[in-house]
């Protein structure tokens, strides 16, 4: 119930109608009996500055930020988390300090760390777009043995690999063409697919790697969450590898944002249950 003391957090984006975050966060607040409400706000690009300043004046506690505002919003904030600054995009704002964070990449790390540690592992990242960028810097912070960024357009992979190296988080960052992925995967411990291959409605796309090129000690994460089991994860299961479903990144980026705003540990079980219900996933 909304009361005189309810604290407001929310989402700004354009559009925001199809977001899964409002039910997930409101379920979390309900579970912990916290007097908070999470509200979606459809903010047109030309209104971004006034939305941020207005939100501060309205004593709004925090925002998630989605497309198309993740980059432009940074100029209206006082502080940036160092990794968000390296990534160059923000998906979470804490109005207490007018500070921006990027929890997308941490979401992926936490999802993988449910099944394996990243330290000293060989990691292959497919794709070199926005999602890959958010994930790659956080991966580098976990001290893996190596990161190989593979992309169709090799210049983008090269440029991201150089940015990660220049961050001084780690040195052993390589790049190559996605065509070479089978060779990389045979020596890898962890594969993260950040491309949209297999995303609904293209669920019958050809997977970027086939079961025959995987091995049973491999952990395979597809950040696509619709369908739940992408063609890549089916191949991983056929190879006896360990799948990490895309829904987990969605869950943990939300959990991280919740923890930034409230200082409390996020109730991830109820958040995941709500996400699955909203996404209509049976497993
Ligand atoms: P996001 O923000 O989700 O990362 P993006 O920035 O558009 O989205 O990046 C999509 C990534 O998936 C890109 O690296 C893209 O490769 P290119 O840079 O070569 O375009 C990759 N990608 C998209 N479709 C792909 C496909 N069919 N096969 C392989 N890679 C694909």
């Amino acid at each position: 119930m909304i009361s005189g003391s309810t604290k407001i957090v929310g989402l700004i984006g354009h559009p925001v109608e199809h977001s899964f975050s409002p039910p997930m966060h409101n379920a979390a607040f309900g579970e912990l009996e916290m007097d908070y409400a999470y509200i979606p706000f459809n903010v047109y690009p030309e209104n971004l500055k006034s939305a941020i300043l207005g939100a501060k004046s309205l004593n709004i506690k925090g925002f998630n930020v989605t497309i198309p505002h993740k980059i432009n919003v940074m100029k209206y904030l006082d502080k940036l988390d160092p990794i968000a600054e390296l990534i160059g995009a923000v998906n979470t704002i804490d109005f207490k300090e007018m500070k921006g964070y990027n929890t997308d990449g941490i979401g992926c790390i936490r999802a993988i760390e449910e099944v394996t540690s990243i330290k000293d592992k060989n990691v292959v990242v497919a794709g070199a777009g926005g999602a890959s960028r958010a994930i790659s810097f956080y991966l580098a912070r976990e001290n893996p043995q190596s990161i190989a960024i593979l992309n169709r357009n090799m210049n983008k992979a090269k440029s991201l690999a150089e940015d990660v190296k220049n961050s001084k988080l780690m040195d052993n960052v390589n790049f190559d063409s996605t065509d070479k992925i089978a060779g990389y995967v045979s020596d890898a411990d962890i594969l993260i697919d950040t491309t949209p291959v297999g995303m609904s409605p293209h669920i019958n796309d050809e997977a970027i790697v086939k079961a025959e090129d995987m091995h049973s000690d491999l952990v395979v994460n597809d950040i696509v969450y619709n369908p739940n089991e992408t063609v890549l994860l089916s191949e991983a299961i056929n190879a006896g590898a360990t799948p990490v479903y895309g829904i987990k990144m969605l869950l943990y980026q939300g959990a991280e944002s919740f923890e930034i705003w409230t200082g409390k540990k996020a109730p991830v079980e109820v958040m995941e249950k709500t996400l699955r219900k909203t996404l209509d996933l049976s497993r």
Side-chain angles (χ1 to χ4, degrees), residues 1 8 11 35 47 51-52 76 113 149 160 180 201 203 252:
M1 198 163 53
I8 303 296
L11 167 70
D35 190 8
N47 295 331
I52 296 297
Y76 306 121
E113 286 184 337
I149 299 171
L160 176 55
K180 307 265 180 59
I203 59 171
Y252 285 118

Side-chain angles (χ1 to χ4, degrees), residues 242-281:
T242 304
V244 176
Y245 293 85
I247 189 178
K248 294 284 185 177
M249 174 167 161
L250 203 57
L251 168 67
Y252 285 118
Q253 63 75 30
E256 285 285 332
S257 298
F258 182 98
E259 289 164 7
I260 288 167
W261 298 325
T262 67
K264 289 199 184 336
K265 200 166 168 337
V268 288
E269 269 175 36
V270 73
M271 291 169 82
E272 182 168 352
K273 212 167 104 192
T274 309
L275 258 186
R276 286 182 188 281
K277 210 161 74 189
T278 318
L279 282 161
D280 200 18
L281 299 178

Side-chain angles (χ1 to χ4, degrees), residues 111-131:
I112 290 169
E113 286 184 337
E114 266 194 357
V115 302
T116 188
S117 74
I118 291 164
K119 189 169 170 2
D120 297 332
K121 301 289 169 63
N122 293 302
V123 186
V124 174
V125 180

Side-chain angles (χ1 to χ4, degrees), residues 6 19 24 29 33 103 111 126 147 150 155 187 215 250 254 258 268:
T6 302
S19 170
M24 175 171 69
F29 294 135
E33 297 181 357
T103 71
I147 300 177
L150 310 185
N155 284 335
D187 293 332
H215 56 84
L250 203 57
F258 182 98
V268 288

Side-chain angles (χ1 to χ4, degrees), residues 127-132 151-153 156 178 194-197 208:
S132 172
N151 201 40
R152 275 190 315 203
N153 172 342
K156 274 168 70 180
T178 319
T194 73
T195 74
V197 175
I208 56 162

Side-chain angles (χ1 to χ4, degrees), residues 12-17 41-52 67-69 72 76:
I12 55 167
H14 180 67
V16 291
E17 287 78 5
F41 298 101
N42 187 359
V43 175
Y44 284 76
E46 60 270 28
N47 295 331
L48 181 60
K49 182 178 181 184
S50 55
I52 296 297
I67 292 164
H69 303 316
N72 289 335
Y76 306 121

